[in-house]
Amino acid sequence: MTAFAEIIDQARAQSLPELVAVIAAALYLVFVIREKIVCWFFTAISAAIYIWLFIEAKLYMESILNVFYLAMAGYGWHQWNVGRTDTSNKPVVTWPLKIHTRAISCIVLLSLANGFVLHIYSDAALPFIDSLTTWFAIWATYLVAQKVLENWWYWLLIDLASIFIYWSRDLKLTSALFAIYFIMIPIGLFSWTKSMHKQSR
């Protein structure tokens, strides 16, 4: 059976919660690309559902990540609302390379420690990869809330790894969602770059 056929079969047999989570997550990305504050509403819906779904799949760090997403939905809404005016959105910014270098170093160390603990003390699936994508996603989500352009480069790698993780845990629809994310990321990067240049004029 082809990968596409497996996705279709799972979609037909899928529970309503995952389907709703996938649709809400897809809408989140569409509205993030367009810099619409309503994106945070859809991520809250998606995260609330995925908390439970990832516990069922024994992807505990992914479940914890969605608790963070749920909290960030409120934080992101506030941050984007603070930077808005009647005529424009919160501006897109860039951060220096040294900030990203420090963040990446900390994330790798945290992920190794986290993965080791999960490997020894739990039945977590893919503990090290799960930990790495989770900590990077936490950082990237914070960058989205701050409207930092570089968030898109992080998501490019996170989403690529997530496709493999979710497929291996039989979450085919979610894997397909992240494949779509991966394709849409360059659109987001281009759109935000264009917005940043427009704001600087």
Side-chain angles (χ1 to χ4, degrees):
M1 182 181 291
T2 66
F4 182 73
E6 286 189 58
I7 293 169
I8 296 299
D9 282 349
Q10 188 178 41
R12 288 171 178 164
Q14 194 58 46
S15 64
L16 181 61
E18 187 177 1
L19 186 59
V20 172
V22 166
I23 292 170
L27 288 172
Y28 159 75
L29 184 59
V30 169
F31 286 119
V32 165
I33 289 172
R34 299 185 65 191
E35 299 180 64
K36 301 296 184 183
I37 197 170
V38 72
C39 69
W40 299 107
F41 170 74
F42 288 106
T43 202
I45 294 173
S46 178
I49 297 170
Y50 272 127
I51 289 169
W52 172 74
L53 289 176
F54 287 137
I55 289 174
E56 290 286 305
K58 296 185 179 179
L59 293 170
Y60 304 128
M61 288 303 296
E62 295 292 326
S63 183
I64 292 170
L65 174 61
N66 277 272
V67 173
F68 172 79
Y69 284 160
L70 194 56
M72 285 300 290
Y75 177 76
W77 183 285
H78 172 73
Q79 287 297 307
W80 283 31
N81 198 48
V82 166
R84 293 173 75 194
T85 67
D86 291 337
T87 58
S88 66
N89 295 320
K90 176 182 174 72
V92 177
V93 298
T94 61
W95 282 0
L97 180 60
K98 64 180 181 180
I99 293 178
H100 296 290
T101 302
R102 290 171 185 167
I104 290 168
S105 299
C106 290
I107 288 167
V108 169
L109 291 174
L110 274 171
S111 300
L112 287 172
N114 201 161
F116 179 76
V117 170
L118 286 173
H119 177 69
I120 298 297
Y121 297 106
S122 80
D123 61 347
L126 309 170
F128 290 98
I129 297 176
D130 190 17
S131 296
L132 192 66
T133 55
T134 296
W135 285 110
F136 266 114
I138 287 172
W139 171 243
T141 303
Y142 176 72
L143 296 183
V144 174
Q146 297 298 323
K147 293 195 80 170
V148 178
L149 180 66
E150 293 83 9
N151 86 83
W152 295 104
W153 294 107
Y154 289 100
W155 287 120
L156 194 67
L157 297 176
I158 294 165
D159 292 350
L160 186 59
S162 296
I163 293 168
F164 163 74
I165 291 172
Y166 300 141
W167 191 272
S168 72
R169 301 309 297 168
D170 203 33
L171 293 167
K172 302 296 192 301
L173 278 180
T174 303
S175 181
L177 168 69
F178 275 78
I180 294 169
Y181 273 9
F182 184 77
I183 294 168
M184 292 178 69
I185 283 171
I187 300 171
L189 180 61
F190 174 78
S191 179
W192 279 35
T193 301
K194 183 178 178 181
S195 176
M196 184 177 66
H197 290 326
K198 184 177 179 181
Q199 292 158 1
S200 63
R201 290 176 185 171

